[in-house]
């Protein structure tokens, strides 16, 4: 693939990710990244760029290019690389391997997010199940029409969150992210950029249920969210926020209002289900259940093969590498394997027990125990979530009509909700086509559409 310097600068600005690695200088250790990319979906290595995206440059010689090709040929099995010099940056394109798994010096590596993680041969064999198996998120979706079905607003939100410039155009960005195969979008792209996911991947919806008491005998409320991945995540988070209790913390100064369960822990539980569920399983979606004594988040697909329950919080294998990398770019998830730890720490900070993990070959469930609802400083939010959410949405729209350049921080101050709650409302309004952002994040403005 031929690159222009301005394209390289835009790519560097987006930062390292699942398909992109920066190396300030050359060493034989680059074989690890080549091996990991070959075992995953392929990727690009930029020599002469520091980890934080500073172009230091490198002396490009025929000898250096030959050394790099030799490293590729010495992988087991060999890999043919595309090496291209662009001024003082050396661009190394590593193709996805067709004879997986690949190794270097007897070691096997796999790309997990923005990192190359070493695996044992048996682990990587179990992970792929069969050599050459294509992962679900990497499969081409032949039913999705990239012209008619593509959600431009979801794509715009993704670019903002991932800090990717739209200058080079949609097609080039999708190619750079390895989300297109010919004229068709891969499933990871469909999850993010569809208008309604139920049309293409009905198993990718999220169902939220509120029960009376601690059993499933009586359902008080049920909602199914079937838009794009980010909208569904935000809607499920808002649902949890509306159905759980609010706790008042009395300190010096104004009293602090917080959810009875740490919002960060609930978010991590939802993101874990989205990132790691088995999308090959049809007829079953992510289920969020609220009981009087607990909250349960369940996703189809047990632990990824090669991962044990005792490894949780210490090690990570992703079932959906391409999707996980995109979520990492959006800053929804951090380093692989840390989500369980962050959930545990959030619950501990609240003085609550760590979430319980229930898993078998087919299901993975995280259980958050709710605190005693009879505590004196607890206030129950009653009534359907739509009323509160709709009121907040209307307030935001009115503020935008009065001041199109209003910031999220100003909205938070005017309405009296957290910045995170504002972000979720903005995402929801964009997804519903009610508002859109015109221009850049800093100098642009809001436009109320409908």
């Amino acid at each position: 693939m031929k690159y222009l310097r301005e394209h390289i600068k835009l790519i560097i600005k987006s930062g390292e990710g699942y398909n992109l690695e920066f190396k300030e200088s050359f060493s034989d250790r680059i074989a690890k990244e080549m091996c990991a990319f070959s075992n995953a979906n392929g990727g690009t290595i930029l020599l002469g760029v520091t980890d934080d995206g500073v172009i230091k440059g490198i002396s490009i010689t025929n000898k250096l290019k030959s050394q790099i090709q030799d490293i590729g040929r010495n992988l087991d099995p060999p890999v043919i690389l595309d090496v291209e010099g662009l001024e003082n940056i050396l661009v190394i394109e590593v193709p996805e391997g067709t004879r997986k798994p690949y190794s270097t010096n007897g070691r096997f590596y796999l790309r997990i997010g923005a990192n190359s993680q070493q695996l044992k041969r048996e682990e990587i064999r179990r992970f792929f199940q069969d050599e050459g198996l294509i992962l679900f998120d990497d499969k081409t979706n032949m039913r999705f029409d990239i012209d008619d079905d593509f959600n431009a607003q979801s794509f715009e939100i993704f670019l903002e969150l991932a800090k990717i410039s739209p200058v080079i155009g949609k097609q080039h960005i999708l190619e750079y992210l390895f989300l297109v195969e010919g004229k068709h979008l891969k499933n990871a792209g469909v999850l993010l950029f569809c208008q309604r996911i139920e049309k293409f991947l009905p198993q990718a919806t999220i169902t939220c249920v509120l029960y009376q008491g601690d059993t499933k005998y009586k359902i008080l409320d049920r909602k199914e969210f079937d838009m794009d991945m980010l909208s569904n995540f935000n809607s499920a988070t808002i649902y949890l926020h509306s159905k759980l209790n609010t706790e008042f913390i009395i300190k010096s100064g104004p009293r602090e209002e917080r959810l009875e369960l740490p919002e960060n822990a609930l978010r991590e539980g939802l993101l874990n289900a989205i990132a790691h569920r088995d999308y090959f399983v049809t007829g079953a979606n992510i289920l969020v259940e609220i009981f009087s004594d607990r909250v349960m988040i369940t996703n189809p697909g047990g632990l990824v093969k090669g991962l044990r329950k005792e490894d949780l919080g210490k090690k990570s294998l992703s079932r959906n590498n391409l999707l996980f990398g995109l979520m990492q770019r959006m800053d929804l998830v951090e380093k692989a394997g840390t989500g369980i730890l962050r959930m545990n720490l959030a619950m501990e900070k609240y003085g609550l027990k760590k979430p319980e993990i229930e898993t078998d070959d087919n299901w993975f469930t995280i259980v958050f125990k709710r605190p005693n609802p009879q505590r004196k400083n607890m206030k129950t939010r009653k009534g359907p979530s739509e009323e509160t959410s709709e009121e907040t949405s209307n307030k935001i729209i009115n503020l935008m009509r009065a001041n199109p350049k209003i910031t999220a921080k100003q909205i938070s101050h005017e309405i009296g909700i957290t910045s995170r709650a504002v972000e979720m409302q903005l995402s929801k309004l964009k997804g519903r086509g009610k508002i859109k952002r015109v221009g850049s994040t800093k100098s642009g403005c809001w436009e109320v559409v409908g």
Side-chain angles (χ1 to χ4, degrees):
M1 181 176 179
K2 290 290 183 182
Y3 289 95
L4 298 176
R5 187 166 180 82
E6 55 266 29
H7 290 176
I8 286 292
K9 285 184 177 180
L10 290 172
I11 290 172
I12 291 173
K13 189 177 180 180
S14 72
E16 291 183 305
Y18 177 60
N19 302 109
L20 183 63
E21 178 78 20
F22 299 156
K23 291 292 182 185
E24 183 174 351
S25 58
F26 170 74
S27 75
D28 291 340
R29 286 176 293 183
I30 201 173
K32 180 176 75 171
E33 271 64 49
M34 294 180 184
C35 177
F37 281 140
S38 298
N39 279 326
N41 305 114
T44 303
I45 303 171
L46 298 182
L47 275 186
V49 182
T50 65
D51 289 341
D52 54 358
V54 177
I55 300 175
K56 289 295 184 72
I58 192 171
S59 177
I60 300 174
T61 63
N62 288 333
K63 180 181 178 181
L64 176 59
K65 291 182 178 180
S66 179
Q67 285 177 300
I68 289 169
Q69 291 287 9
D70 285 341
I71 292 174
R73 282 190 286 266
N74 286 330
L75 294 182
D76 182 18
V79 173
I80 304 301
L81 309 169
D82 185 3
V83 182
E84 176 188 349
L86 186 63
E87 297 183 10
N88 61 345
I89 299 174
L90 194 64
V91 183
I92 306 168
E93 291 282 356
V94 184
E96 178 181 358
T98 57
R99 298 166 60 194
K100 301 172 185 176
Y102 289 79
S103 68
T104 174
N105 294 324
R107 295 182 176 89
F108 296 80
Y109 296 88
L110 187 66
R111 199 71 175 171
I112 306 293
N115 305 296
S116 298
Q117 180 173 309
Q118 182 181 345
L119 301 175
K120 296 177 182 178
R121 184 177 180 84
E122 190 56 32
E123 288 177 326
I124 198 170
R125 280 188 177 277
R126 288 199 300 267
F127 174 69
F128 282 101
Q129 297 179 10
D130 296 302
E131 292 184 17
L133 179 67
I134 297 176
L135 303 178
F136 181 88
D137 58 339
D138 192 52
K139 288 185 65 175
T140 302
N141 194 305
M142 305 301 290
R143 296 174 56 204
F144 189 92
D145 189 304
I146 205 165
D147 295 318
D148 296 336
D149 299 317
F150 196 84
N151 189 331
Q153 289 183 334
S154 296
F155 186 61
E156 181 183 334
I157 293 170
F158 168 79
L159 294 182
E160 288 180 10
L161 294 175
K163 297 179 175 61
I164 296 176
S165 170
V167 173
I168 60 176
K170 180 179 78 174
Q171 186 65 27
H172 286 298
I173 292 172
L174 294 175
E175 289 174 359
Y176 154 64
L177 294 171
F178 292 82
L179 287 177
V180 287
E181 189 79 37
K183 295 182 179 180
H184 297 282
L185 200 63
K186 294 181 180 179
N187 280 330
V190 175
L191 287 167
L192 263 68
F193 308 131
C194 68
Q195 296 180 42
R196 300 193 80 86
I197 193 60
E198 192 172 32
K199 179 179 177 182
F200 309 100
L201 304 170
Q203 70 271 33
T205 61
I206 298 178
T207 299
C208 296
V209 186
L210 174 68
Y211 299 103
Q212 183 180 65
D214 59 3
T215 69
K216 296 186 179 184
Y217 178 73
K218 184 173 182 179
I219 295 176
L220 298 178
D221 190 54
R222 178 188 177 98
K223 292 289 184 296
E224 184 166 1
F225 303 110
D226 65 347
M227 297 180 70
D228 62 277
M229 186 209 78
L230 183 60
S231 296
N232 291 345
F233 163 67
N234 286 333
S235 295
T237 302
I238 292 171
Y239 188 93
L240 280 166
H241 204 284
S242 70
K243 299 303 182 185
L244 295 176
N245 298 323
T246 301
E247 184 178 23
F248 293 118
I249 307 298
I250 308 299
K251 296 181 179 179
S252 58
R255 66 183 182 181
E256 176 188 344
E257 181 180 339
R258 71 179 189 182
L259 209 59
E260 63 174 284
L261 290 171
E263 186 174 335
N264 286 346
L266 295 171
R267 281 169 44 82
E268 289 290 344
L270 273 171
L271 290 169
N272 182 81
I274 292 169
H276 300 303
R277 68 149 290 173
D278 187 349
Y279 287 95
F280 278 115
V281 178
T282 57
N285 60 358
I286 292 171
L287 182 61
V288 179
E289 299 175 289
I290 304 174
F291 298 87
S292 61
D293 62 342
R294 68 196 185 279
V295 173
M296 301 176 66
I297 301 175
T298 302
N299 64 265
L303 292 174
V304 179
K305 289 188 179 297
L307 194 66
R308 300 167 300 173
K309 190 174 180 179
E310 53 266 35
D311 293 327
L312 294 174
K314 304 173 187 175
K315 182 179 178 183
S316 177
L317 286 175
S318 177
R319 182 178 274 116
N320 305 294
N321 289 320
L322 187 56
L323 177 62
F324 186 87
L326 295 169
M327 294 172 69
Q328 201 170 41
R329 284 187 176 279
M330 298 163 72
D331 204 26
L332 292 176
V333 296
E334 296 183 24
K335 185 179 178 181
T338 60
I340 299 294
L341 288 176
R342 287 196 296 275
M343 278 188 276
N344 290 343
L345 290 172
M347 293 291 280
E348 184 180 335
K349 188 176 180 180
Y350 260 54
L352 301 174
K353 292 181 180 179
K354 295 178 182 178
E356 298 175 2
I357 306 294
E358 301 174 358
T359 183
D360 57 25
D361 291 340
N362 302 309
W363 301 96
F364 186 94
T365 301
I366 300 175
V367 183
F368 299 93
K369 294 291 186 180
R370 298 178 68 178
N372 186 347
Q374 301 304 318
R375 280 160 56 177
K376 292 181 181 179
N377 61 343
M378 197 71 70
K379 177 189 75 175
T380 303
R381 296 189 176 204
K382 298 180 180 179
S385 64
E386 276 68 18
E387 291 183 15
T388 303
S389 179
E390 195 62 33
E391 287 175 8
T392 303
S393 297
N394 290 334
K395 288 179 182 178
I396 292 174
I397 288 173
N398 289 333
L399 287 171
M400 287 179 176
R401 285 197 175 108
N403 178 16
K405 287 187 173 291
I406 193 168
T407 65
K409 185 176 181 180
Q410 290 170 331
I411 293 173
S412 174
H413 177 74
E414 289 286 341
I415 298 179
I417 60 176
T418 65
S419 297
R420 180 59 197 164
V422 171
E423 289 177 14
M424 288 191 294
Q425 286 288 344
L426 293 177
S427 176
K428 187 176 180 180
L429 286 169
K430 286 180 182 178
R432 290 165 55 191
K434 296 289 186 180
I435 62 172
K436 68 177 181 179
R437 186 72 181 175
V438 180
S440 66
T441 304
K442 289 186 177 180
S443 61
C445 63
W446 295 104
E447 180 180 327
V448 178
V449 180

